[in-house]
Amino acid sequence: METRSKALYEYLVEHATNFTEDWMKRQRVIKGSDYSADAPAEVMNRVKEQNSNYVRLVAKSLYQTEEEMKETISAWTSQTAADRIKSKTDLTEVAWNSGVFRRVYWEYVQKFVKQTEMEITLDDVFTWEKKINYTLDYVFETFIVVFMEILMNRLASQATLIKELSAPVISLTKEVGLLPLIGEIDTTRAKGLMESTLTQSIDARINTLIVDLSGVVMVDTMVAHQIFKLMDALNLLGVRSIVTGIRPEVAQTAVQLGIDFSGITTEGNLQNVVKKIIQS
């Protein structure tokens, strides 16, 4: 059995390039996919090299222990998943190609059985089936895990960036910062606003923060409550806060809702505040 498995391994390794060419012939035209039949030459050559290496790695599993196979495959999937996620290749395309690869792989096992002069038994074929299919399943499983981990980390980074951009503290001087708020402030954004503003104010080492509301079209009790909480937190950190740019319609709504801004330092517009800072 060991001799026959070794012969199959050598056959698959020897025909890895031909295998890849047969695999490429079955590719569809998918815009932006690394697997697309019309992919740029440099992309196609890279994919061909990866696929031929994949053929060899799966073949190696025929004589590896489960632990050895997993170590080998994990290294390959980590690199390949990172490469795929850089392109527009989605998981649907990856899954489809996983099936294509499996079919071609077994076609080459069948070719070996027909061409070899060795006597291949049914037990041999079923033993190879367990080894090869288990390896292919493990490849797909680890690929998805790595792919999704990279994707979720990227989304988390983008979410953090968006949060920071939605509440950026801009340094006007070494001691004065500006927080321009624009658009609608919902509960989720309001909570993120508190964390981001406090962190940025500490990092910038400012002692005065101007909160400009000229870009906020509506202030309800929830928004006002969050602003008051922010002011209190800034005060505890030793940062004086000034609210500016409250629009007339916002002020009218605040009065109707009974929102009291009397305990907060306010200015009519940002220009007046900046002018005072420059002159002081």
Side-chain angles (χ1 to χ4, degrees):
M1 178 64 193
E2 184 176 342
T3 302
R4 295 187 291 275
S5 294
K6 186 68 173 179
L8 174 58
Y9 163 76
E10 291 173 351
Y11 179 87
L12 292 169
V13 169
E14 182 182 348
H15 291 82
T17 302
N18 294 334
F19 179 111
T20 296
E21 291 301 327
D22 287 345
W23 175 75
M24 288 298 299
K25 290 175 184 177
R26 306 190 190 191
Q27 297 307 306
R28 307 171 294 184
V29 175
I30 305 292
K31 187 176 181 180
S33 171
D34 279 1
Y35 297 119
S36 182
D38 64 349
E42 64 274 13
V43 173
M44 189 170 291
N45 289 334
R46 186 178 71 253
V47 170
K48 283 183 177 181
E49 182 180 350
Q50 289 172 342
N51 193 80
S52 295
N53 188 36
Y54 182 19
V55 174
R56 300 183 188 99
L57 292 179
V58 174
K60 188 180 291 187
S61 70
L62 288 166
Y63 62 83
Q64 285 182 314
T65 65
E66 181 179 332
E67 291 72 24
E68 289 171 337
M69 177 275 289
K70 288 184 175 181
E71 183 177 351
T72 301
I73 292 302
S74 294
W76 184 85
T77 52
S78 294
Q79 179 181 358
T80 308
D83 191 55
R84 291 292 175 273
I85 207 166
K86 290 178 183 177
S87 70
K88 294 181 180 178
T89 307
D90 60 32
L91 284 178
T92 303
E93 187 68 5
V94 171
W96 185 83
N97 264 285
S98 177
V100 173
F101 185 92
R102 191 186 298 262
R103 287 192 293 275
V104 177
Y105 214 93
W106 279 104
E107 287 173 9
Y108 270 78
V109 174
Q110 184 179 25
K111 287 180 182 180
F112 167 76
V113 172
K114 288 181 177 180
Q115 294 174 15
T116 184
E117 295 180 355
M118 294 180 171
E119 184 178 348
I120 306 300
T121 67
L122 195 58
D123 285 342
D124 292 332
V125 175
F126 276 110
T127 298
W128 294 337
E129 184 275 331
K130 289 178 182 178
K131 280 273 190 179
I132 293 172
N133 281 342
Y134 182 76
T135 300
L136 293 176
D137 290 341
Y138 185 74
V139 169
F140 189 62
E141 176 189 336
T142 53
F143 187 97
I144 297 299
V145 169
V146 174
F147 190 97
M148 291 305 298
E149 183 178 353
I150 295 173
L151 181 61
M152 294 308 294
N153 286 339
R154 179 178 294 181
L155 290 174
S157 297
Q158 291 174 345
T160 299
L161 178 60
I162 291 171
K163 185 187 293 185
E164 291 176 352
L165 290 176
S166 69
V169 173
I170 303 167
S171 295
L172 298 180
T173 69
K174 289 183 178 180
E175 299 179 342
V176 180
L178 168 65
L179 175 63
L181 297 180
I182 300 172
E184 182 181 351
I185 302 177
D186 57 16
T187 305
T188 301
R189 186 183 175 194
K191 291 179 179 178
L193 175 67
M194 170 77 78
E195 292 181 27
S196 177
T197 302
L198 294 178
T199 300
Q200 291 180 77
S201 297
I202 293 171
D203 291 342
R205 297 182 179 179
I206 58 175
N207 59 31
T208 301
L209 179 66
I210 304 168
V211 180
D212 182 33
L213 299 180
S214 57
V216 177
V217 295
M218 183 184 74
V219 172
D220 58 17
T221 51
M222 185 278 295
V223 174
H225 179 63
Q226 290 298 326
I227 292 174
F228 295 155
K229 284 179 63 177
L230 176 60
M231 304 296 123
D232 290 340
L234 287 169
N235 185 54
L236 289 174
L237 294 174
V239 179
R240 181 171 68 102
S241 52
I242 303 172
V243 175
T244 184
I246 300 177
R247 298 155 64 123
E249 60 270 30
V250 171
Q252 185 176 1
T253 301
V255 170
Q256 292 173 348
L257 293 173
I259 299 172
D260 184 11
F261 280 94
S262 62
I264 295 177
T265 302
T266 59
E267 288 285 350
N269 58 66
L270 181 60
Q271 289 81 358
N272 289 342
V273 181
V274 174
K275 187 182 296 184
K276 290 179 181 179
I277 292 172
I278 294 174
Q279 292 174 348
S280 61

